[in-house]
């Protein structure tokens, strides 16, 4: 058998990756001049199923994109974005953490092993120093989205975050989103 083939048959083809990257970029390219603002790079990457931390973005990704094709306006060009994204996506550099990694991060906040975290504690932890790694992943806006999303809809006590359900839901949502993304890209080459 050819080396590496069996290990990852689900990997999208280069052509499909290009298409998906182009579509994602176009969503944010308001004027249609093949550039986006640097602060939109993180959002586009997350849309593509890549989850860099804020410090990755600030220290590595954005400087690299701007170096790739410097321009007076300090905008990120599509060519630079495509080149860097293709490499990151092929190497799976910023693939989402698997559910085990996420669960481990939550368990730190649940030393008694109750299976849930108090949402106020969560806010505190993420905005405090020791939650640096986690808070890197969440900005304030995302933080409140996260808490809303993770709260147990069913229970009357909405201050509890049942993180195992949350992680399962999040992982499933990301997978579903990526599946749609790539399915749409499979469509006809119109546009």
């Amino acid at each position: 058998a050819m080396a590496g083939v069996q290990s990852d048959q689900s990997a999208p083809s280069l052509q499909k990756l290009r298409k998906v990257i182009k579509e994602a970029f176009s969503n944010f390219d308001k004027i249609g001049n093949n550039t986006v603002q640097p602060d939109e790079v993180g959002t586009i990457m997350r849309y593509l199923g890549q989850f860099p931390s804020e410090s990755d973005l600030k220290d590595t990704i954005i400087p690299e994109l701007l170096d790739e094709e410097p321009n007076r306006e300090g905008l990120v060009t599509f060519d630079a974005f495509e080149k860097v994204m293709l490499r990151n996506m092929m190497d799976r550099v910023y693939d989402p953490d698997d559910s085990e990694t996420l669960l481990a991060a939550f368990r730190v906040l649940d030393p008694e092993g109750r299976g849930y975290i108090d949402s106020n504690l969560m806010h505190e932890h993420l905005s405090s120093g020791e939650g640096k790694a986690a808070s890197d992943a969440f900005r304030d806006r995302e933080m409140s989205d996260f808490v809303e999303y993770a709260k147990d809809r069913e229970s009357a006590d909405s201050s509890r975050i049942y993180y195992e359900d949350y992680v399962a839901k999040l992982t499933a949502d990301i997978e579903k989103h990526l599946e749609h993304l790539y399915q749409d890209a499979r469509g006809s080459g119109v546009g």
Side-chain angles (χ1 to χ4, degrees):
M2 277 165 57
V5 172
Q6 76 292 348
S7 68
D8 199 355
Q9 285 168 326
S10 63
S13 66
L14 186 60
Q15 191 186 354
K16 193 179 296 175
L17 279 177
R18 289 203 127 108
K19 202 165 173 201
V20 167
I21 291 171
K22 176 78 182 135
E23 282 168 12
F25 191 91
S26 307
N27 289 336
F28 292 88
D29 176 12
K30 303 285 187 282
I31 341 173
N33 61 354
N34 278 336
T35 60
V36 295
Q37 296 290 338
D39 60 5
E40 293 183 309
V41 169
T43 314
I44 306 174
M45 286 184 73
R46 283 190 275 270
Y47 180 79
L48 288 166
Q50 298 286 293
F51 294 86
S53 68
E54 286 300 310
S55 45
D56 289 331
L57 283 164
K58 279 203 300 282
D59 305 340
T60 311
I61 300 166
I62 292 170
E64 185 180 6
L65 289 169
L66 295 172
D67 276 359
E68 193 71 46
E69 279 204 19
N71 57 70
R72 281 200 310 278
E73 294 80 29
L75 296 169
V76 171
T77 65
F78 174 69
D79 291 338
F81 185 79
E82 184 192 55
K83 185 171 167 189
V84 173
M85 273 322 101
L86 278 174
R87 194 182 64 227
N88 286 338
M89 288 168 87
M90 298 291 225
D91 298 345
R92 301 173 169 272
V93 184
Y94 300 111
D95 270 18
D97 287 333
D98 57 34
S99 44
E100 278 315 300
T101 314
L102 288 169
L103 285 171
F106 283 114
R107 288 193 183 116
V108 172
L109 296 179
D110 178 23
E112 287 94 54
R114 293 172 306 193
Y116 64 83
I117 305 163
D118 185 301
S119 64
N120 305 323
L121 187 100
M122 186 80 190
H123 264 294
E124 240 165 75
H125 181 79
L126 286 181
S127 32
S128 77
E130 81 262 17
K132 182 77 185 82
S135 65
D136 228 6
F138 297 107
R139 284 184 243 159
D140 284 339
R141 193 186 64 231
E142 289 169 352
M143 187 58 219
S144 48
D145 289 351
F146 164 78
V147 172
E148 275 316 303
Y149 179 74
K151 274 179 191 168
D152 185 0
R153 294 263 176 269
E154 310 306 303
S155 91
D157 181 4
S158 62
S159 66
R160 291 178 178 181
I161 296 172
Y162 289 87
Y163 55 87
E164 292 182 356
D165 297 347
Y166 163 72
V167 168
K169 196 158 78 161
L170 180 70
T171 314
D173 281 359
I174 291 173
E175 277 171 19
K176 220 176 356 215
H177 167 71
L178 291 179
E179 218 171 278
H180 286 309
L181 206 62
Y182 289 113
Q183 256 162 4
D184 291 349
R186 250 179 245 144
S188 56
V190 180

